Each structure stands twice: as C-alpha cells, then as structure tokens.
Amino acid sequence: LMARRIRALARLETAIESGQADEMEQACDEVEALGADASRVSEVRLQSKKIQCDAEFKLGLARVSSSWSGLLGHAGVEELEKFELYTLELAKFHNAFKPSSMLECVVCATCLLKDQAAVCSGGLHALCAKCFQDYAHAEQSQPEQLIQQRGARLLCPCRPPHDAGCTGSFSEQSIASFLPAELHRRHMDHQRIQIHAEE
C-alpha cells in the first residue's frame, strides 16, 4: 500500500507539471482513494478547474470572434446598435471580472489576487509565492557585504538598473507570510547582523 501511495503522489506531481486538467483530476482521485498525503489535492483541483475554465472561455471567445466579422460586414443600422450594446456589456464584464486587486507576478506572469502575492512597498510589483521564495533565496545567498549595503532588506526585483527603477522593498509581514521557516530564519539572521553592524 505504501508503494502505491508513493506512486500516486509521484503521478500527482507529474500531472501538475503536465498542466492537463483531466490528468490532474484523476491523480487527485487516486491520492484520495489510497489515503495518501492529500495536503495538495484541494490546491491541485482548483488549478485544474482554472485550466478547464480558461480552455472553455477561449473556445467560446474563438466561436464569437469567428462569426463576429461576418455578421458585422452585413449589419444594418439596427444590428450595429445591438453590436454597440454587446460591446458595452463585454466591457462591463471585463471590468467586473478583473478587479483592482488582481496582480501579475513580475517573474512568471501568473495572475494573482493581492493576498496571494508578495507586493513591494511601492505597490506596483508582485511576486507569486514560488518566485518570491526563489528570489529571497538568491538575494540571501549574496555576499554579506552586498546584503549589508541594502540594509539587509529584501528589495524589489524591479529596482535599478531595471527599467522600472522601483525603490520599494518587501515588508516583514510579506517575508513572514510567504517564506518557508528556513528562509525566514536566514532573513532574520541577516537583520540581526545588520543591527549589530549599525551599533
């Protein structure tokens, strides 16, 4: 049974990497059926649902788009007025569907809600949890002199010489929320060294 559980978890990881919604759902079912560690199942099912919704939306959009040009070419005044109303409704839908709290990871371009992202103090640049962890690890691995030059703060990746020239940094709250214990401990160690260096 243990070997089957291990295989089920391995299949789950493979399914996640494939991005195939059906395969992800089947792998989740198998993990649950075998009583394996199901800690990621709800997250994977949500990801699968998003992939399915995205595919259905794109398919629907392609159908509308393909018939749009042909209909518009033969439209009279009355039909054009309907098209204008339809376009306004689409704009309303777009604005309602993309709230101001939606952000995009500056590294991998994943769309995120504000509470799912580490956002710099400038409020313009966000990182998803994985990219934030990778970025923090890279920054913490730099020579101690560079870490002290930036005051042991975790600066925005869009800082100079990046075109955006952001002067923001990540708050202690973001660092505590999005970093695993080991990376957070290393960050706090750098903070303590910085405090002693400034005394």
Side-chain angles (χ1 to χ4, degrees), residues 143-157:
E144 194 62 42
Q145 183 182 1
L146 287 176
I147 293 171
Q148 286 185 7
Q149 281 177 359
R150 63 174 189 263
R153 294 177 302 139
L154 193 54
L155 302 178
C156 179

Side-chain angles (χ1 to χ4, degrees), residues 3 10 23 77 111 119 129 141 163 167 182 190 194:
E23 183 62 28
V77 174
C111 285
V119 183
S141 300
D163 290 344
T167 57
E182 176 60 23
H190 288 305
Q194 182 68 24

